[in-house]
Amino acid sequence: MNTEQKLNSIVPWGRNLEEYRQIFSLSKEDLQKKILGCGDGPSSFNAELTARGGEITSIDPIYKFTKEQLTKRIDEVSVEVMGMVRQYSSNFVWKNIKNPDELESIRMSAMRRFLADYEQGLEQKRYRFEMLPSLSFEDRSFDLALSSHFLFLYSEHLDFEFHLNSILEMLRVAEEVRIFPLMTLNNIYSPHLDKVREVLAKRGYTSEIIKTEYEFQQGADEMMKVYRGTN
Ligand SMILES: C[S@@+](CC[C@H](N)C(=O)[O-])C[C@H]1O[C@@H](n2cnc3c(N)ncnc32)[C@H](O)[C@@H]1O
C-alpha cells in the first residue's frame, strides 16, 4: 500500500461505533478511556464517540483531503465496492450484518456521519493527517490505541518492519494497543503475526489473541491486545 496516497488511489470505506465496539470488545469503561484510532479513515467511530462525550483522536493519511474531495471519492468508490461485494457475497460471513443491502446502508450512514463531523473534527484536532509508523504524540498520551482493518490486513503490501515499528510506536504513545483483524485480504493469518509477537515478548510486552463477536471476513474473528508487562 502506498502511504503517500493520491485521491484517485484511495478507497475510503468506514465502519461505525457499534462495529468498533464488537471488533475490539470495547467495554463501557474502555469507551471512557483516552483513545487513539490509527487509520480510522471515514469511519464514524470518532464522530459517534465524541457525541457520546468520549475522548478520541483519529489519524489517517486521508485527512489531508477536503470534505468535498472525500465526499466525491466516497460516492465513486461505494458503487465499485458494493458491486464487488454483491458479486462475491458468498465470500463473506453474513452474521453481524445480514446482507449486502444492510452492509451498504451501514457503511454509507457511517461515512455520511463522518463527513458531517469532519470539518469540525479537523478544527478540534480530532482528525489529524498523520501516518504510521511515526506519530507526533508525546509518550503515553493515550490509554488505548486501535487499528481497525489496517495493520495485518494489508500484510501483502506492508512488510514486517512496518508492522513492528507501527505497533511499537502505538505502544509508545498508548498504554495498550488493540488490532483487528489478524488476517490478510487473502483470508490467511498475517505472516508477520508470530514474528511480531515474539519481538514484543522479548521487549517485555504481553500480547493476547482474543476472540471477538464480530466476523465479516471469513475466519477473521480475533483481535490482538498488547500491553506493557503482564497485567
Ligand atoms: C480499510 S480502511 C479502515 C478504516 C477504518 N479503520 C475502519 O475499520 O472502518 C484502512 C485505512 O488505513 C489508512 N492508512 C493507510 N496508510 C496508513 C498509515 N501509514 N498510517 C495510518 N493509516 C493508514 C487508509 O487511509 C484507510 O483509511
Side-chain angles (χ1 to χ4, degrees):
M1 176 183 285
N2 178 5
T3 48
E4 268 301 321
Q5 291 162 314
K6 300 226 164 28
L7 184 61
N8 63 4
S9 71
I10 64 159
V11 181
W13 203 234
R15 290 160 188 81
N16 61 25
L17 184 142
E18 177 52 20
E19 291 180 285
Y20 266 61
R21 195 194 61 69
Q22 294 173 6
I23 281 169
F24 294 115
S25 304
L26 294 170
S27 64
K28 237 169 106 186
E29 292 72 38
D30 288 333
L31 289 170
Q32 284 163 2
K33 291 177 177 169
K34 204 168 171 199
I35 299 179
L36 174 68
C38 297
D40 276 344
S43 76
S44 59
F45 181 58
N46 189 315
E48 290 185 73
L49 192 55
T50 301
R52 285 171 50 154
E55 235 188 304
I56 159 95
T57 303
S58 300
I59 63 109
D60 198 294
I62 72 163
Y63 301 152
K64 75 173 174 193
F65 298 114
T66 64
K67 178 180 175 182
E68 287 65 37
Q69 288 173 314
L70 290 177
T71 305
K72 185 166 172 283
R73 191 64 192 142
I74 285 169
D75 287 343
E76 286 165 4
V77 158
S78 59
V79 177
E80 281 167 43
V81 174
M82 283 314 304
M84 298 272 283
V85 169
R86 289 196 169 89
Q87 191 177 351
Y88 300 105
S89 69
S90 59
N91 290 357
F92 302 102
V93 181
W94 301 102
K95 181 178 83 170
N96 305 78
I97 298 167
K98 296 288 168 278
N99 53 50
D101 288 344
E102 191 183 47
L103 178 76
E104 182 167 24
S105 142
I106 289 174
R107 290 284 172 279
M108 292 315 289
S109 52
M111 292 190 283
R112 276 192 216 104
R113 183 90 197 252
F114 159 79
L115 287 168
D117 177 57
Y118 183 51
E119 287 175 329
Q120 192 182 14
L122 282 176
E123 262 168 44
Q124 295 175 342
K125 297 196 177 353
R126 286 186 285 111
Y127 297 114
R128 292 171 179 243
F129 168 48
E130 293 203 21
M131 273 178 269
L132 289 170
S134 171
L135 301 171
S136 68
F137 307 103
E138 300 283 316
D139 293 359
R140 304 194 184 192
S141 305
F142 301 91
D143 300 312
L144 192 54
L146 305 175
S147 160
S148 161
H149 295 87
F150 175 55
L151 291 173
F152 295 133
L153 183 63
Y154 296 99
S155 293
E156 278 94 16
H157 310 266
L158 297 166
D159 64 14
F160 166 74
E161 292 298 325
F162 179 89
H163 279 77
L164 180 64
N165 291 336
S166 295
I167 295 168
L168 289 172
E169 182 70 345
M170 290 165 79
L171 285 163
R172 180 184 70 75
V173 302
E175 298 290 338
E176 184 187 309
V177 166
R178 296 187 196 180
I179 301 170
F180 179 98
L182 308 182
M183 307 197 86
T184 75
L185 289 171
N186 291 330
N187 276 14
I188 54 162
Y189 274 107
S190 163
H192 310 316
L193 181 62
D194 289 345
K195 243 164 75 186
V196 163
R197 295 187 73 196
E198 244 172 65
V199 177
L200 290 173
K202 278 190 193 137
R203 300 209 184 181
Y205 295 103
T206 299
S207 65
E208 289 173 24
I209 306 291
I210 294 168
K211 201 163 160 64
T212 69
E213 58 183 289
Y214 187 88
E215 185 181 7
F216 181 60
Q217 185 189 353
Q218 278 179 17
D221 61 351
E222 292 168 315
M223 64 126 168
M224 184 169 87
K225 193 190 246 198
V226 189
Y227 47 88
R228 287 174 191 83
T230 50
N231 225 8

